[in-house]
Amino acid sequence: MNVTQTSGRERPRIFLVGMMGSGKTTVGRVLAEQLGVPYVDNDESLAERAGGGPGAVFEARGVDALHAAEAEALRAGLEASRETGAVIGVAASAVLDADLRELIRGSGSVAWLRARPETLLWRMTQSHGTESTGAGAGSGRPQFAPDMAAWLEEAARVRAPLFEQVAGVTVDVDELAPWRVAQTILDGAGLGAFGWLPGAYAGVVLDLDGLLVETETIWMEAKRLLYADRGFPFSLEDHLAVMGTSEDFTARVFARRFGLGEERVEEVRDDYLQRATALFEEGVPTRPGATALVAALRGRLPLALASNTRRELVDRILQLSGLDGSFDAIATADDAAPKPAPDIYLLACERLGVNPRSAVAIEDSPTGIRAAKAAGLTCIGVPSDPQLLPVGADRVAASLLELIEPDDWIAPGGTAGRVRCWRFGGFRSAAGG
């Protein structure tokens, strides 16, 4: 990977190539935020330099002039990012020029966002509200042919080997969320891994519900029963609205939903918890990779649990899931203000005897991520629900299994495996420096 150096730190430069509609702008902004570098968008640069977007330049001056203007904008972005680093969205036409291909390939990491033609067309029409023939000049995108569906299919076929020629990482983006595309690029470019735990961290703090144990479905069923007994319909949105929050907060939301006053909140909470506890007794399965992850960490560095669930129930869940005895410290909402306040994480670190800025949290919900970051911890997000975007996490994984080196998973009677760690901010130290 080629990078520039600033003040002794690597400033990465990543180029995103692909057809229009492949998501370069959306993914580019996610990458830039993760890495702490500017995002340079081709269309915006072109508009500043040429007085209009690609569609306007194409309509006024033709395709050759558009490609020349796009090349000029790319070269300007390259020059401007030499000291700062950047994520650069590259015009789809750039790979048609052999000199530009060589320039891109030699100036940084290159990722090809590969999408099916039907995906490209759908995204363009959804973004701009145009007819199925494609996006016109009014949208800022060039209308290269009357039938843009046919043009996209042919252009994607012709340019595919050129994209492949320059790219070090190829991501099929059709079914992936932008954060997932960004994480795949970071891992493929060598920016996703930072040695192995304990590595840069002095301690690890884990969430419980939805991260280590498959309890969210149990909590959701308890909510459904609670609603049903009171004659109210229950939806997934009702569940997600309180996911990761404290039992008291959840009970207050439910009481308002049922038209009950503050004096009835405790009653609602107790009813809710009784239903959940009864369901837990039927069994608490662990999430994929949870047991291996905890075993890999246990005994190698201080390990804590930080949960919004009350301590009595936490202990029972750990017992039923086989995870009891795994943690050096446990902090719950019985001990401190619940997440998203930072208090539970601060207390967990205090009980471990580690500085929060030297610790890493692993969380599944936006509420938990906010709490961990507010406490000063680096945070890895492992979403338990695809609708809950891991906003604010320093690193995102689709599963706990991604945090464990496959060749070193624990075998019966074997030793603990190594655990993948994340370089905070892409190029800054994991301790938050």
Side-chain angles (χ1 to χ4, degrees), residues 226-227 242 245-270 272 338:
L226 186 71
Y227 271 55
V242 295
T245 63
S246 69
E247 296 161 1
D248 286 343
F249 178 88
T250 298
R252 282 188 172 82
V253 171
F254 290 170
R256 287 196 297 270
R257 179 76 170 87
F258 303 148
L260 304 177
E262 182 69 21
E263 72 280 0
R264 302 285 297 278
V265 169
E266 186 175 351
E267 172 193 328
V268 172
R269 184 195 63 193
D270 291 345
Y272 171 50

Side-chain angles (χ1 to χ4, degrees), residues 26 35 69 422:
T26 303
L35 292 168
W422 170 247

Side-chain angles (χ1 to χ4, degrees), residues 98-166:
D99 290 339
L100 286 180
R101 290 200 302 272
E102 189 62 28
L103 180 62
I104 294 168
R105 187 167 49 191
S107 300
S109 299
V110 185
W112 174 20
L113 276 56
R114 182 168 61 186
R116 297 188 295 266
E118 55 268 31
T119 299
L120 300 173
L121 184 65
W122 183 85
R123 288 181 175 180
M124 291 166 59
T125 57
Q126 289 297 308
S127 298
H128 302 289
T130 58
E131 298 300 322
S132 61
T133 52
S139 70
R141 298 187 186 274
Q143 179 80 18
F144 288 116
D147 185 351
M148 278 297 287
W151 183 90
L152 280 170
E153 184 172 0
E154 177 63 14
R157 183 188 67 79
V158 170
R159 297 179 190 184
L162 303 179
F163 290 135
E164 185 174 16
Q165 186 183 124
V166 300

Side-chain angles (χ1 to χ4, degrees), residues 2-6 9-13 81-85:
N2 297 297
V3 295
T4 55
Q5 296 285 334
T6 301
R9 301 188 301 183
E10 293 182 345
R11 292 285 183 171
R13 190 156 55 183
S81 64
R82 291 193 186 279
E83 297 299 321
T84 63

